[in-house]
């Protein structure tokens, strides 16, 4: 009898815990509004246009070739596939009946109008820091887009993650909600950079490694991560860039999408720099000031090491090599990358390449296979892909030669297998083509 009493007590405790958690996780529905009754100040919409560019909203909420912001894009995660939602003002399938209060709650707390918890693939752990005024502008911008009737496919997640109330527990652990609070010890420009980069810009969503529950590792902020089959390089003191980044280089890169000592943006970052083109110079400068403060001051010893490597590899180039990798490089790469013509219209000197010097070869595998397609409607860097020209082993030999010649660092392991999996799509996270154009068929702001 005593055993049954204990089991009964445990059952009662579990029921109480379940009821308490259900009460904690529950969020009320916010009443729908009449979308036709809303009028927005054009100045507020213009401000929202710039903010949407910072957030790169169009990238995740647009399927290649479909209407902007209509959702439905598959977002692979370690836990399954999530499909982005329709954020056009369609009253039936979009957010057309969302009030401003409902939009604010989604941004601040990760809860939709109906009271359902949103998955953190929507980076509300960053968006929570956005001010009410900026959320109001974003709301005005989205509510003045073209309404599109489109329902996203159902998510395909491992059990039991389809049960959304569980997300309340994730938020309890990892969501520090509330608007951004400036640091009074820092400059106004630095604080503006933090607000943009850590809030709407959600830079850490890609550039910070994640733990087993999919949350950013706050102790390794900006230490490098992965995004859709690409490496998001460390942008702290551990940055693998051969030439250290400084404020001027960061600002130029964010504004133009390339830098003569750092190459061109590609993959998900190409979408970011493409959308940032509509921002005022002051905001670009602020982001650069903040990120440069995390990277630290350029090290003269590091710069000297790059110059020394350049001298050594120049001699190696004169000596030549009969290895297959060297032969492929001379026939397929040297014409552009040793032309002396700087980016974006000439190939980057590989001694300056972060991809060649990175501990992870994924980005240079992607670019070698798929190339850099030209940007849509504007002058840009471009490069052919070599997936059809060379075998997996030939590309691996090429990259091994480049790694040895231009970085002098230890060889990468398993490159041929990585090339095979990237080419075939066997990696769980799909590789986005190098310029990201088809993920963003139209940019926000001035390019919309």
């Amino acid at each position: 009898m005593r055993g049954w009493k204990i089991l009964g007590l445990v059952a009662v405790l579990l029921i109480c815990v379940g009821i308490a958690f259900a009460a904690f996780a529950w969020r009320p529905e916010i009443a729908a509004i009449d979308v036709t009754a809303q009028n927005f100040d054009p100045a507020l919409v213009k401000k929202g246009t710039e903010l949407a560019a910072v957030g790169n909203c169009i990238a995740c909420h647009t399927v290649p070739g479909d209407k902007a912001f209509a959702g439905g894009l598959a977002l692979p995660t370690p836990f399954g596939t999530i499909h982005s939602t329709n954020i056009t003002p369609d009253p039936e399938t979009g957010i057309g009946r969302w009030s401003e209060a409902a939009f604010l709650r989604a941004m601040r707390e990760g809860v939709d109008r109906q009271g359902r918890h949103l998955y953190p693939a929507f980076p509300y752990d960053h968006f929570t820091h956005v001010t009410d005024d900026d959320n109001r502008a974003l709301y005005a911008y989205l509510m003045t887009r073209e309404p599109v009737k489109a329902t996203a496919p159902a998510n395909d997640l491992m059990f039991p993650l389809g049960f959304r109330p569980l997300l309340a527990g994730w938020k309890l652990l990892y969501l520090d909600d509330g608007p951004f609070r400036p640091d009074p010890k820092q400059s106004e420009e630095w604080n503006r950079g933090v607000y943009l980069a850590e809030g709407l810009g959600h830079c850490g969503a890609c550039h910070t490694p994640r733990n087993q529950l999919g949350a950013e590792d706050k102790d390794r902020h900006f230490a490098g991560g992965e995004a859709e089959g690409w490496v998001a390089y460390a942008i702290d003191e551990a940055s693998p860039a051969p030439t250290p980044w400084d404020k001027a280089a960061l600002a130029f890169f964010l504004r133009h999408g390339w830098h003569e000592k750092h190459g061109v943006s590609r993959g998900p970052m190409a979408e970011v720099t493409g959308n940032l083109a509509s921002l005022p110079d002051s905001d670009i400068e602020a982001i650069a000031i903040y990120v440069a403060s995390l990277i630290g001051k350029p090290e003269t010893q590091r710069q000297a090491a790059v110059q020394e490597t350049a001298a050594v590899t120049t001699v190696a180039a004169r000596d030549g090599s009969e290895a297959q990798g060297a032969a492929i490089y001379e026939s397929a790469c040297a014409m552009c990358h040793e032309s002396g013509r700087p980016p974006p219209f000439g190939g980057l000197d590989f001694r300056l390449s972060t991809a060649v010097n990175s501990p992870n070869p994924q980005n240079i595998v992607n670019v070698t296979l798929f190339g850099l397609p030209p940007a849509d409607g504007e002058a840009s860097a471009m490069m052919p892909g070599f997936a059809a020209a060379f075998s997996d082993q030939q590309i691996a030999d090429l990259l091994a030669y480049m790694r040895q010649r231009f970085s002098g660092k230890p060889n990468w392991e398993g490159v041929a297998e990585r090339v095979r999996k990237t080419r075939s799509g066997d990696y769980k996270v799909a590789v986005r083509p190098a310029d990201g154009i088809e993920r963003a068929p139209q940019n926000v702001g001035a390019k919309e």
Side-chain angles (χ1 to χ4, degrees):
M1 289 295 296
R2 183 176 180 181
W4 285 107
K5 289 181 179 180
I6 293 175
L7 288 175
L9 179 61
V10 170
V12 170
L13 289 174
L14 289 175
I15 291 171
C16 291
V17 169
I19 293 173
F21 181 79
F24 166 74
W26 179 80
R27 297 293 185 274
E29 179 175 348
I30 295 178
I33 63 167
D34 181 3
V35 66
T36 61
Q38 298 192 95
N39 294 305
F40 297 100
D41 181 356
L44 191 65
V45 175
K46 182 178 183 298
K47 179 181 178 182
T49 301
E50 295 178 354
L51 294 170
V54 177
N56 200 26
C57 308
I58 195 170
C60 288
H61 288 277
T62 306
V63 171
D66 286 352
K67 296 287 187 178
F69 302 115
L73 184 72
L75 302 172
T77 77
F79 312 103
T81 300
I82 294 173
H83 292 88
S84 63
T85 55
N86 182 346
I87 56 172
T88 74
D90 178 68
E92 296 181 14
T93 62
I95 60 172
R97 295 195 179 278
W98 285 39
S99 64
E100 187 178 299
F103 182 79
L104 175 61
R105 184 172 72 171
M107 294 287 286
R108 189 66 51 76
E109 302 177 28
V111 178
D112 71 6
R113 186 188 70 80
Q114 290 86 353
R116 296 174 300 184
H117 290 277
L118 299 173
Y119 292 100
F122 174 64
Y124 49 78
D125 52 337
H126 290 272
F127 295 164
T128 186
H129 303 307
V130 179
T131 64
D132 289 352
D133 286 345
D134 282 352
N135 274 320
R136 186 171 297 111
L138 272 171
Y139 177 75
Y141 170 75
L142 291 173
M143 285 301 189
T144 52
R145 300 305 92 196
E146 176 189 356
V148 180
K149 189 170 185 177
T151 302
N155 297 325
D156 182 15
L157 297 168
M158 64 174 62
F159 180 83
L161 299 181
F163 184 61
R164 287 179 182 259
L166 292 176
L167 294 169
W170 188 94
K171 293 175 184 178
L172 182 65
L173 293 173
Y174 302 115
L175 178 61
D176 298 323
D177 61 332
F180 169 71
R181 291 179 290 274
D183 184 345
K185 297 179 181 179
Q186 298 288 350
S187 69
E188 182 179 347
E189 293 82 3
W190 186 89
N191 276 300
R192 177 65 175 169
V194 177
Y195 174 71
L196 293 172
E198 302 290 0
L200 273 175
H202 60 285
C203 303
C206 292
H207 288 279
T208 298
R210 295 181 178 271
N211 62 24
Q212 292 183 339
L213 294 180
E216 293 176 29
D217 185 346
K218 301 298 185 181
D219 294 332
R220 301 170 64 198
H221 183 56
F222 282 1
E226 296 182 0
E228 301 170 54
W230 293 80
V231 175
Y233 297 124
I235 49 175
D236 60 2
E237 294 178 350
S239 167
T243 300
W245 289 95
D246 58 21
K247 178 177 71 68
L250 285 164
F252 189 93
F253 182 83
L254 292 174
R255 167 61 70 205
H256 301 286
W258 64 273
H259 188 275
E260 64 179 358
K261 293 184 178 179
H262 294 280
V264 300
S265 61
R266 55 204 184 273
M269 193 64 197
E271 293 171 344
V272 173
T273 55
N275 283 324
L276 290 180
S278 65
L279 262 64
D281 289 340
S282 58
D283 282 349
I284 296 291
E285 186 82 359
I287 296 172
I289 288 172
Y290 169 58
V291 177
S293 72
L294 301 180
I295 292 178
K297 295 181 179 179
E299 304 171 10
T300 55
Q301 291 181 345
R302 190 174 175 191
Q303 292 176 318
V306 172
Q307 295 174 354
E308 182 180 349
T309 301
V312 172
T313 55
T314 300
V315 172
R318 293 196 192 103
D319 291 343
S321 173
E322 295 181 1
Q324 179 170 240
I328 295 173
Y329 173 82
E330 294 297 334
S331 63
C333 311
M335 182 179 296
C336 290
H337 289 276
E338 295 190 14
S339 66
R341 191 180 185 190
F345 305 117
L348 178 68
D349 183 337
F350 283 122
R351 293 168 295 190
L352 305 175
S353 170
T354 304
V356 172
N357 284 270
S358 171
N360 187 325
Q362 186 61 55
N363 287 1
I364 198 165
V365 168
N366 294 345
V367 174
T368 305
L369 282 172
F370 306 125
L372 289 169
D376 186 15
E378 60 184 81
S380 68
M382 61 178 295
M383 174 186 143
F386 294 101
F390 301 119
S391 68
D392 298 343
Q393 188 58 54
Q394 286 174 320
I395 291 179
D397 290 342
L398 167 64
L399 298 184
Y401 169 75
M402 291 168 60
R403 174 77 165 175
Q404 185 277 325
R405 174 178 168 184
F406 296 111
S407 77
K409 294 182 178 178
N411 291 336
W412 293 304
E413 299 292 334
V415 176
E417 180 67 5
R418 183 182 291 269
V419 172
R420 183 191 69 78
K421 288 185 175 181
T422 303
R423 186 199 299 268
S424 66
D426 283 350
Y427 278 134
K428 292 182 179 179
V429 179
V431 173
R432 185 191 309 191
D435 69 342
I437 293 300
E438 70 275 30
R439 280 287 299 274
Q442 53 180 310
N443 287 329
V444 296
K447 296 183 180 180
E448 185 177 70

